[in-house]
Amino acid sequence: MKIIRRLILGAVLALPLAASAAESYPSKPIRLIVPFAPGGSVNLMGRLLADNLSQRLGQQVIVENRAGAGGLIGAELVANAAPDGYTLLLATMGAQSILPYLTKQLRFDPKKAFSPIGEFASLPNILVTAPDLPVSNLAELIAYAKAHPGELSMASAGIGSVNQMVGELFMLKTGTQFTHVPYKGVGPAMVDLLGGRVQILFANVPGVAAQVKEGKLKGLGIAGQQRTAMLADVPTMKEAGACDCVVESWFGLMGPAGMPAELVDRLSRELRDVVATPAMKHMLAEQGAEAIQGTPAQFSTLIDADAQRWSAVIKEAKLAD
């Protein structure tokens, strides 16, 4: 009985201490691990978040790029960090809900290694083709691909990237077959797409909007619930009669597992307040992104739902090692 009383007393005493720690946080700079190299939409989202969160918290949030393995190296670093709120992760769909189900070599459990804090933005994806491909809409692309199975090359930013997975989903839903050509990032993939060495790319809208507007690429279909203002003339894939493919790349904030609930709640409130500011909404809109004010529970549900979705696609397409 004495042991039980001590445990209860210890737990009660710990409550105000935990609350006090959350209130005094942060007392030093915070590292935001961006698990990709500088350049590209993920890095941009990380720097927008860091700048605005720094102003909100009154402490500098320092972006640290830890690229490699499609985002898994940076994710592992955060998974192994102290759960004190001073090492956070710019989380993406690829690193949290796709790659863990493609490889058996993972050194952390994606479901147990993190404390979800919240989603803050999402970007629609689009199917673009090289300008010399003899198709002008999705129906023609599907017909051409079925008449020439495997002859069209589909570029991606690498094995397990969102680019690849949107393409895999599209092929499964339309009965088409492309030859996947992985690159070390979207940049090299874009170079070969513009040069006509590959024919197809599924990409975030902001990364290709300028080339579509200039006629350097053809935008055939948005993988979203609705059209995007950046390319208002491009129909959704459902509108085009191709498939109901909705894949929006999300961005969120996570910490290591074991963070005190009070600290997670504090960071989540601060994140939602940052996203609610007109300045942050404007900056996200400029990048073609939708501002999201997600709670930890909503973010956790999103991650789990995407994990189920993509693990099923990976299994059906026989992609796992």
Side-chain angles (χ1 to χ4, degrees), residues 232-267:
D233 292 336
V234 180
T236 67
M237 292 185 181
K238 185 175 182 179
E239 283 180 320
C243 64
D244 190 8
C245 296
V246 177
V247 183
E248 296 185 343
S249 300
W250 49 255
F251 302 87
L253 190 64
M254 286 181 155
M259 285 177 61
E262 294 82 3
L263 185 52
V264 171
D265 289 342
R266 163 80 191 282
L267 278 167

Side-chain angles (χ1 to χ4, degrees), residues 30-33 78 85-90 117 253-255 267:
I30 300 165
R31 289 196 302 167
L32 176 62
I33 305 301
V78 176
Y86 290 99
T87 302
L88 303 175
L89 176 67
L90 192 285
I117 294 168
L253 190 64
M254 286 181 155
L267 278 167

Side-chain angles (χ1 to χ4, degrees), residues 49-304:
L49 177 62
D51 290 346
N52 287 271
L53 202 54
S54 294
Q55 296 175 32
R56 180 75 190 177
L57 293 174
Q59 277 285 355
Q60 190 174 9
V61 179
I62 302 169
V63 170
E64 189 174 315
N65 294 94
R66 290 296 187 96
L72 295 183
I73 288 177
E76 183 179 358
L77 185 155
V78 176
N80 293 326
D84 56 8
Y86 290 99
T87 302
L88 303 175
L89 176 67
L90 192 285
T92 64
M93 181 169 65
Q96 296 341 114
S97 299
I98 296 175
L99 279 169
Y101 305 94
L102 270 172
T103 178
K104 298 176 182 177
Q105 308 303 316
L106 209 60
R107 291 182 290 190
F108 61 88
D109 186 336
K111 293 185 177 181
K112 298 179 180 179
F114 302 101
S115 297
I117 294 168
E119 180 192 9
F120 68 90
S122 67
L123 282 172
N125 287 276
I126 183 174
L127 188 164
V128 293
T129 71
D132 58 350
L133 191 65
V135 300
S136 58
N137 55 52
L138 276 184
E140 291 179 3
L141 173 66
I142 292 170
Y144 186 95
K146 288 182 176 180
H148 305 84
E151 290 186 18
L152 294 179
S153 297
M154 178 187 78
S156 83
I159 301 291
S161 63
V162 175
N163 317 100
Q164 179 195 2
M165 299 312 297
V166 183
E168 298 288 350
L169 179 65
F170 182 87
M171 287 188 282
L172 289 172
K173 285 184 171 288
T174 60
T176 52
Q177 181 183 345
F178 307 138
T179 297
H180 178 215
V181 182
Y183 289 81
K184 294 181 178 179
V186 173
M190 280 287 290
V191 170
D192 276 7
L193 180 67
L194 290 167
R197 288 176 285 278
V198 290
Q199 292 78 46
I200 295 170
L201 175 68
F202 293 83
N204 289 333
V205 169
V208 297
Q211 289 85 353
V212 173
K213 289 177 181 178
E214 293 168 5
K216 295 178 181 178
L217 294 174
K218 296 178 184 178
L220 300 189
I222 301 290
Q225 297 281 6
Q226 57 190 15
R227 298 190 185 200
T228 173
M230 292 190 84
L231 293 171
D233 292 336
V234 180
T236 67
M237 292 185 181
K238 185 175 182 179
E239 283 180 320
C243 64
D244 190 8
C245 296
V246 177
V247 183
E248 296 185 343
S249 300
W250 49 255
F251 302 87
L253 190 64
M254 286 181 155
M259 285 177 61
E262 294 82 3
L263 185 52
V264 171
D265 289 342
R266 163 80 191 282
L267 278 167
S268 180
R269 290 197 305 272
E270 301 288 7
L271 179 64
R272 293 197 299 275
D273 287 345
V274 163
V275 174
T277 63
M280 186 64 167
K281 285 184 176 180
H282 176 71
M283 285 184 279
L284 289 173
E286 282 189 324
Q287 303 306 317
E290 178 185 0
I292 307 291
Q293 293 174 268
T295 65
Q298 289 169 334
F299 192 27
S300 181
T301 298
L302 172 65
I303 294 167
D304 289 345

